[in-house]
Amino acid sequence: MASAPVSSITVAPLIDGVLSSSHGEALFEVVDPSTGRRRMSIPAGCRDDVDRAVASGRRAFDDGTWSEAPPSRRKEALRRLADLIEARAAELDALDAAEMGKPVGEPF
């Protein structure tokens, strides 16, 4: 089976709406189980990353940015996320297939 191509992708914590560097040094190796080949290394994250993300979420809730946003704003944000996923669907499919060691398009 040929390996799915994996493009250059940045994986980092998304905190306060911005990709930031992990404060930890540990990496998680993503390996294609069908070949044993390392596909990429991504930050494993650390306690400080989690604390920063939780604090960001708490601020957004407490200040009403999300918790008091009208349904139309929430709908807009979720549709934007869906559009971004759809725009990169082929790349995400290839990444998922490579990580799982299955051909692109094969169901779970």
Side-chain angles (χ1 to χ4, degrees), residues 51-90:
D51 290 345
R52 291 183 302 134
V54 169
S56 173
R58 173 49 63 189
R59 278 190 305 276
F61 182 84
D62 289 346
D63 71 14
T65 300
W66 185 256
S67 61
E68 296 175 17
S72 60
R73 172 64 183 109
R74 292 181 188 199
K75 177 180 166 182
E76 177 186 315
L78 293 172
R79 285 189 183 225
R80 176 71 176 131
L81 174 60
D83 289 344
L84 291 168
I85 291 169
E86 185 175 12
R88 297 186 76 175

Side-chain angles (χ1 to χ4, degrees), residues 18-84:
V18 178
L19 287 176
S20 62
S21 297
S22 173
H23 287 183
E25 295 183 20
L27 296 174
F28 177 78
E29 301 295 326
V30 178
V31 175
D32 180 336
S34 69
T35 65
R37 183 173 153 230
R38 184 180 64 81
R39 301 301 294 186
M40 69 174 67
S41 298
I42 61 174
C46 64
R47 179 180 297 260
D48 188 52
D49 295 338
V50 172
D51 290 345
R52 291 183 302 134
V54 169
S56 173
R58 173 49 63 189
R59 278 190 305 276
F61 182 84
D62 289 346
D63 71 14
T65 300
W66 185 256
S67 61
E68 296 175 17
S72 60
R73 172 64 183 109
R74 292 181 188 199
K75 177 180 166 182
E76 177 186 315
L78 293 172
R79 285 189 183 225
R80 176 71 176 131
L81 174 60
D83 289 344
L84 291 168

